[in-house]
Structures are given as structure tokens and as C-alpha cells.
Amino acid sequence: MSILLLCALLLSGCGSTKDNNAAETNSETASVETVSVTAAAESEVTEMPVSEQETVVTVPEINEDFTTGNGCAKGRGKALASVCDDEFASDGKALKIYHRIESWNGADFDAEAFRGNTIDVTGSFRSAASAVRVSIQYSVYGSACYVGVFTVNTSEDKYSSGSGSFAIPANAEKIVLYIESDSLDDIYCDSFSVKVSGDYRYLPEAQELVFVDTSSYPSLKELYRDDFLMGVATTNDMLDTEDYCGLIKAQFNSMTLGNSFKPDSLLDRGATLADLDKYMECPAIKFNNVKKELDFAKENGMTVRGHTLVWHSQTPDWIFYKDYDPNGELADRELMLKRMENYIAAVVTWADENYPGLVSCWDVVNEAADDGGGMRKSLWYQTVGEDYVQRAFEYARKHAPEGTKLFYNDYNSYQTKKQKDIIDMITPIIADGNIDGMGMQSHLNTDVSVSLYMAALKRYAELGLEIHVTELDIGVKRADGWKETQGEYFRKFMEELLKAERNGVNVTSVTVWGLNDCLSWKAADLPLLFDDDLSRKPAFDGVVQAAEDVNAA
Ligand code: XIL
């Protein structure tokens, strides 16, 4: 006999479920709508009286207007979060998130109780930062992942709201929703709510994830051996899971460290502040985060794409300030050029000395073009000026070992207007002889025109650039047949890429941005080749089929 869990639909202020014995609930709950859920495991306690077998589970909800306190919000990282009076807030009170030293510092909301459910999240924010992001963090099998739920464009003197939905995997642990922004400005939150969409599924513990045997899968690196490298983005945590390691080794011959080589992972604020004189012209750098992934690549004969040296995101704001004090003045051009050159020199030299020949290319500058046109007005742009991209490539060429390929990397780089802006930006760098390749990130979805993409790819190649598809993932809407729709898109995309390459377009590497959907940075869009348990999706079969078809033709 199964234990029945009687789930009373009560509202809980803090997103946590409360387990009570049904016998203890008073008659008031009887008027509340209830649902019964069969427990996952068969009960061995068959003789238990009904009243003791029933558990009332409060359906979790977060519904904060911050009139009476923080609710369940906590400061994230070094940030503090506390309720304040705020004339702009609808009810005169808001949660103020401040003392943000790194851009990821913000506010956390425990979301453990929503495991295995689809949630609808809404929030209302104001900030001098131009955008505030709500994301979710969780781990699956010890691998952490961070997924955006929605972004709100914000201004200082009025609140703007946004909303988004997310299906939290049943295997997720340590589930936290958080508020952050790229800049260090204070964030005010007038309201924040999280509701379960549809029927509540009560999963007090993460469901075990049992990986399938992947050893019989055809190998992508073998299928594409004569055409281009096949790569994958990794994280440190992933390499603790044998099944992931096995699949990576079997399928890929190139690796991109998905986060570990980024400035926020390398820069050491504490050491920098402890000796300002020593570090004034280059913040302190620590390399402990990259070794595990680089050792793995080396041991398995893979090459590494270095990602990334100069970027506006995942780069702490404090490096742009005189004396590294974000409350002070921005550093001037001369100082920022020194910091840029010294940083680039230190990173590429360290890689060369410690892992000679392993990092075959660098994304020297990432995402410098603005979606709205022209160049992104990042802190690099503000402090150095519009030649910062050109200078970065000059320094990279000067300090990188001979033969290292230097790439510009961006998303939506297939879009006509953005492509024009990118080409305008890199044309002088091509003339300087300081750039070798174009990295097309390729975070796509099944609505993107493959022919538009391929036309853009050819145009970059015509500039004499080598092409890398650097961060391929293809999102799809959850509708009937979504897996097949996505599989067909992957097939077509890879077929066209192969044909272009065989027709002389210099495509030399294709990297997928992760292994299984639940750990993708776009987990909601299910954009990768493997299911959570590493089953091959039609997406994987599509990539296999493209190579087989083109080879057979
Ligand atoms: C993503 C990582 O995959 C996430 O884990 C991280 O939280 C955010 O960054 N463009 C890039 C990549 O160049 O570095 C980004 O990677 C995805 C967008």
C-alpha cells in the first residue's frame, strides 16, 4: 500500500514546505483545497493507521512585498540585504541590496522546496544599473549551474517589473534563486514572488540521477576528424563525475573552460588590496581554478580554447577603479591600458609556461559589439576608449607564443546589423595582422535561419579569418515533438557547416556549450546534445547523421 501525502494548498511565506501530521491539522484545513499524491516508494508500514500515514505538505510560495521585513531574502556573497523606506516603492518599503563588491553579489532566496516543479517568478526592481537579472542556481550530482530566469531593464527613479518561468530538475540540490546585476550599483526590490505552476510535486530530496551507458555512441571527434575539431565547454565540478569524463573523452578533442579562465575566476581582490603598490598596474592573479580542467585536457590529448581575456561580464568592476575602490574614481586610460596589457601578458604567459602548446587559441575580446548597434559602452570602453579592442589584440599578439590563434568572439554575430558592427570593429585589427579568427558563439534556437547564419559565416571567412563555432547550443520550445524538431535543426546546421567547410570556408572548430541539458546555462531551453542522464537526444543523432550523409554523398 502506498502512503498518501495529502497536500493542503496553503501559502507559505518563505518557499519552504512544512511537514505536519494530518492528524494535527485542525478542521480549518479541511476547507482548503487538497490534493493527494502517491509517495514514490511503496510503504512497508502497511499496518499504520490512516491518520498517521498522511502528511500535510504546504505548497511553497514566496510572496514578498518587504513591508514587514526581509522575508526570506539574504545577502549573496559579501552583499547585504535589508528593508528600507523607499519613496519610489509602491508601499513605501523595499528590500535594499547593497555593499556589492562583485557583480554576482546580490540577494538569495532559498528555493529548495520547489524542486521538480515549474515555477513562475516575478520581481520589481530599480537600480542605477541598466539591468537587473534574476537567475537560479542549483547542483546536479555536485556540478553547479547558474541559469538566467529573466532580466529587467532598470533605472534609478522608477520600478520596472519582469517575470519568467523555469522547470527545476527533480535531481537538483542546493536550489537558490538570486538577484544580481553586471554593475555594483545598489538594487532596490519592491516585490518578489515565486509560485508553482500547475500541480505541486512534493520532492523533499533530489531524485537520484542514474547515467546510461554511453560507450556505444558513435564518436563525434572521429566522424568530423577530417573536417574540424569537436569541442565541449566544461566546468571544474563536472570532472568529478566519471560518466561525464568518459563521454567527454570519447566524443571531443577540444575543450573550453566554461568559466574557469574568465577574469572573475582568476583575479584575486584580497591579494590586490593587501599590496596596492605592487598590484597597481595589474591586479593579483591566481591560477588554482584552471588546473583541474587543463590537466584533464592535457592527459586526454585535447586542445584548449582559451576563453576569455577581455570581457565586460564575469569581470569584476573594481579592476576599473583607481586604487581598485569602486566608490572612488574610474582609472584613466593610461592606467587601464597598463592593467590590460599586464593581465593579458600574465595569463597567456602562465598558460604557455605551465601547459606548453595546450591552449591553441584565445578569445582575446568577447562581446564588444552592442545589441543596439555600435560598440557596447562597457567599462573597458568607458575607461580606455573605442580602440580598446584593437589594443587588446595588439597586446595578445605581442605576448602570446608564436602560432597561438587570436579570436574575436560574440553572440548573434550572424545577424546582419551586428555583423556589420563587428566587421567595422575588427577591420583595423585585421589590417594590423593581429587577429586570426572569428568566434561565432552560436547560442541559437530553432527559429534562426540556417541560411542567414551560413551567409554570415562565409562573409567573416572572406575577410581571411578562420571560423570557430565557439558556444553552440540550440534552444527549442517545449511542444509536441520538440526533440525531433531540435534534432532536425542540428542535422541541417551541421550539414550546411560541413558543406561550407568542404567548399573552402575555413571552419576549424565547433564547440558545444555543455554536455547535458540540466547543466546548461540555458537549461530552460534544453539546448544540448544529451539528456540529463546522458541519453543521446535526436540532437546528437542529427550531428552524427550530418557527417554520415555528407561523407556518403
Ligand atoms: C556562461 C557560463 O556557461 C555560465 O556558467 C555562467 O554562469 C555565465 O556564462 N557567452 C560567453 C560565455 O562567452 O562565457 C557564457 O558562459 C555564455 C555567453
Side-chain angles (χ1 to χ4, degrees), residues 165-192:
S165 297
F166 186 75
I168 306 175
N171 326 91
E173 292 175 299
K174 299 184 193 149
I175 309 162
V176 175
L177 277 156
Y178 60 96
I179 299 168
E180 61 173 355
S181 74
D182 277 342
S183 79
L184 300 181
D185 298 297
D186 296 344
I187 300 169
Y188 292 82
C189 177
D190 189 13
S191 61
F192 190 78

Side-chain angles (χ1 to χ4, degrees), residues 165-429:
S165 297
F166 186 75
I168 306 175
N171 326 91
E173 292 175 299
K174 299 184 193 149
I175 309 162
V176 175
L177 277 156
Y178 60 96
I179 299 168
E180 61 173 355
S181 74
D182 277 342
S183 79
L184 300 181
D185 298 297
D186 296 344
I187 300 169
Y188 292 82
C189 177
D190 189 13
S191 61
F192 190 78
S193 79
V194 184
K195 291 190 171 64
V196 171
S197 160
D199 289 341
Y200 177 55
R201 191 171 167 209
Y202 174 56
L203 280 180
E205 277 171 21
Q207 282 190 351
E208 200 191 342
L209 184 56
V210 181
F211 293 114
V212 300
D213 178 4
T214 61
S215 57
S216 63
Y217 294 176
S219 164
L220 298 184
K221 69 177 178 187
E222 295 305 331
L223 280 165
Y224 285 86
R225 181 165 294 284
D226 297 333
D227 295 284
F228 33 74
L229 293 167
M230 289 300 289
V232 63
T234 55
T235 62
N236 253 315
D237 307 334
M238 277 171 73
L239 302 185
D240 293 332
T241 302
E242 241 177 73
D243 298 76
Y244 293 151
C245 294
L247 189 58
I248 293 171
K249 285 188 231 175
Q251 295 293 329
F252 302 103
N253 45 18
S254 172
M255 216 170 105
T256 304
L257 282 54
N259 283 314
S260 310
F261 246 139
K262 292 173 179 173
D264 66 353
S265 157
L266 299 187
L267 290 169
D268 186 340
R269 183 165 179 271
T272 306
L273 294 183
D275 194 344
L276 271 184
D277 287 342
K278 177 171 172 197
Y279 293 115
M280 186 48 68
E281 294 188 351
C282 183
I285 304 172
K286 55 176 171 32
F287 289 99
N288 46 317
N289 286 345
V290 295
K291 291 181 187 158
K292 185 158 132 196
E293 285 161 281
L294 294 183
D295 285 341
F296 180 88
K298 185 175 154 188
E299 278 158 23
N300 293 295
M302 302 165 88
T303 190
V304 170
R305 298 197 75 259
H307 177 78
T308 175
L309 296 169
V310 174
W311 191 21
H312 68 282
S313 183
Q314 292 184 272
T315 301
D317 278 16
W318 54 264
I319 66 157
F320 296 96
Y321 288 84
K322 226 169 122 179
D323 298 337
Y324 300 115
D325 174 9
N327 296 314
E329 275 172 60
L330 282 175
D332 61 22
R333 169 180 164 90
E334 199 191 347
L335 181 56
M336 282 318 294
L337 281 175
K338 284 198 179 117
R339 287 182 186 168
M340 182 196 267
E341 174 163 9
N342 290 332
Y343 177 79
I344 291 174
V347 176
V348 301
T349 306
W350 181 90
D352 183 42
E353 285 173 356
N354 291 276
Y355 295 87
L358 186 65
V359 182
S360 49
C361 66
W362 280 99
D363 288 331
V364 176
V365 177
N366 199 27
E367 302 179 353
D370 196 296
D371 289 320
M375 288 181 73
R376 186 189 295 275
K377 306 298 177 286
S378 67
L379 283 167
W380 280 117
Y381 182 95
Q382 290 172 44
T383 52
V384 174
E386 64 179 31
D387 66 336
Y388 88 85
V389 178
Q390 196 177 0
R391 297 285 76 78
F393 276 91
E394 179 187 317
Y395 301 146
R397 184 64 94 211
K398 180 168 156 197
H399 297 286
E402 223 183 304
T404 307
K405 300 279 176 72
L406 305 181
F407 278 73
Y408 175 75
N409 192 48
D410 215 328
Y411 64 91
N412 290 350
S413 44
Y414 65 88
Q415 290 177 354
T416 314
K417 172 77 179 82
K418 196 153 178 186
Q419 173 164 53
K420 186 184 170 305
D421 291 339
I422 291 172
I423 291 177
D424 286 349
M425 196 167 60
I426 61 180
T427 298
I429 307 170

Side-chain angles (χ1 to χ4, degrees), residues 90-101:
S90 57
D91 47 21
K93 296 275 183 196
L95 182 76
K96 179 178 178 182
I97 305 162
Y98 59 107
H99 196 255
R100 302 179 55 234
I101 288 163

